[in-house]
Amino acid sequence: MPLDPARIKSCYPALADGYAYLDGAAGTQVPSSVIAAIADAYVAGIGNHGGAFPASARSDALVEDCRVAVADLVGGEPTGVILGPNMTTLTYRLADTLSRTWSHDDEVVVSRLDHDANVRPWVQAAARAGAVVRFAEVDAASGELDAGQYDDLLSEKTKLVAVTAASNLIGTRPEVTEICRRARERGALSYVDGVHATPHFPVDVVALGADFYATSAYKWSGPHIGAVVASPALLDGLHPDKLQPSPASVPERFERGTLPFADLAGVSAAVDHLASLDASATGTRREHIVASMTAVESYEAQLFDILLGGLDTMEHVRTYGTASLRAPTACFGVAGLRPREVAEHLSRRRVNVWNGDNYAWELAGVLHIRETGGAVRAGIVHYNDRFDVDRLLEGVAELAPRPV
Ligand SMILES: Cc1ncc(COP(=O)(O)O)c(C=O)c1O
């Protein structure tokens, strides 16, 4: 097996606390190498951007290294990597910028599969511009987002299509390449939410055909930093609000205020960590990443099959979603208990899971779980192992109603 679960687990100091961390979809733990990279940046001394002294040059180098690392991770160009506090903030920024030219003749297409961070910024920007919003629908039983429906949703009026590469609630991976292709054919831009996708499989933004690809490093072993990747030529034509003296260049003009330089060192280290997961990989860092993330995808799929298979055998458990292609994220409910109560029970068993709608607001409505506390979410990431999955299954099995 290209991945060595024991070696990987030993990279993460937090995992030594005895808990099964199945909450990775809400944010992963960080390996020692990331913690060290952040500490090293502070130890070496950093200064603000563009100064005449070495500490300032070190900060500038951290920014450039980070752009190269994120570009390597998703197959983009470093000068098209916009860095910021998180995906939500960056998406609001892009929505504000892109919508300046929209009017009541224009349309925007969002999906009910998406996290609200790739829905509401577009809905609100469209409302300000007077543009029409159309929703791509999810099949409630399977959790599939049919790409074919975009033929009817799109027209020459469409300015932007926002869609997720993987659902953070039920894991569905829609045919993003097909959706982006249809958008492009109609002259619309595509904005792909890669926050849940990036940690689970290799990403190539060029092959996806995504005009914008958003990701968040804290979902893939890095610190709390977001990034949006686009082609520098596309960014060249966009003009966000900015301060008069701040850089007008691309991508800097999309970045507000001072970047968290030491955290950016952590982002680069997180990319290096991902690149190192398949120790047998060779070639460039990008080639290491593709090999490692391919291995991650198949390792996680094996664990996910066990997790889902186990849950599906329990009569008191209802799982959501049966899409043909999924990120390894299980969403379920337990008869007679609110999701929070299930999560509290599992916490007593030292198993971390999430409960609620996970901000997949539209999808929670489609699944009719919005008003009942959402669902329980257990997500696999590359540092989880069979032991974590078995503990979850044992904990959920204990919740079966006792025979009277
Ligand atoms: C699929 C998806 N999109 C967007 C977001 C928002 O990301 P951020 O916290 O970086 O704003 C999340 C966070 O959970 C997510 O899972």
Side-chain angles (χ1 to χ4, degrees), residues 359-385:
Y359 279 29
W361 178 251
E362 297 290 341
L363 182 57
V366 172
L367 299 176
H368 302 295
I369 56 174
R370 203 191 272 161
E371 273 75 41
T372 52
V376 184
R377 181 180 66 180
I380 308 280
V381 293
H382 67 265
Y383 55 63
N384 292 123
D385 59 16

Side-chain angles (χ1 to χ4, degrees), residues 1 295-307 386:
M1 183 187 327
V296 164
E297 185 176 9
S298 90
Y299 172 75
E300 292 180 355
Q302 286 166 29
L303 286 182
F304 187 52
D305 279 351
I306 298 167
L307 170 59
R386 178 70 196 260

Side-chain angles (χ1 to χ4, degrees), residues 86-88 115 117 168 193 195-196 216 218-219:
N86 49 54
M87 179 274 185
T88 306
H115 185 288
N168 65 311
D193 178 355
V195 172
H196 193 66
S216 261
Y218 76 97
K219 308 284 190 176

Side-chain angles (χ1 to χ4, degrees), residues 168-206:
N168 65 311
L169 185 59
I170 56 174
T172 304
R173 290 172 57 180
E175 290 180 289
V176 180
T177 312
E178 270 305 301
I179 297 168
C180 291
R181 185 181 64 75
R182 285 170 160 88
R184 198 167 46 255
E185 279 173 7
R186 298 299 185 120
L189 294 171
S190 53
Y191 192 98
V192 174
D193 178 355
V195 172
H196 193 66
T198 314
H200 299 301
F201 49 89
V203 173
D204 182 337
V205 288
V206 177

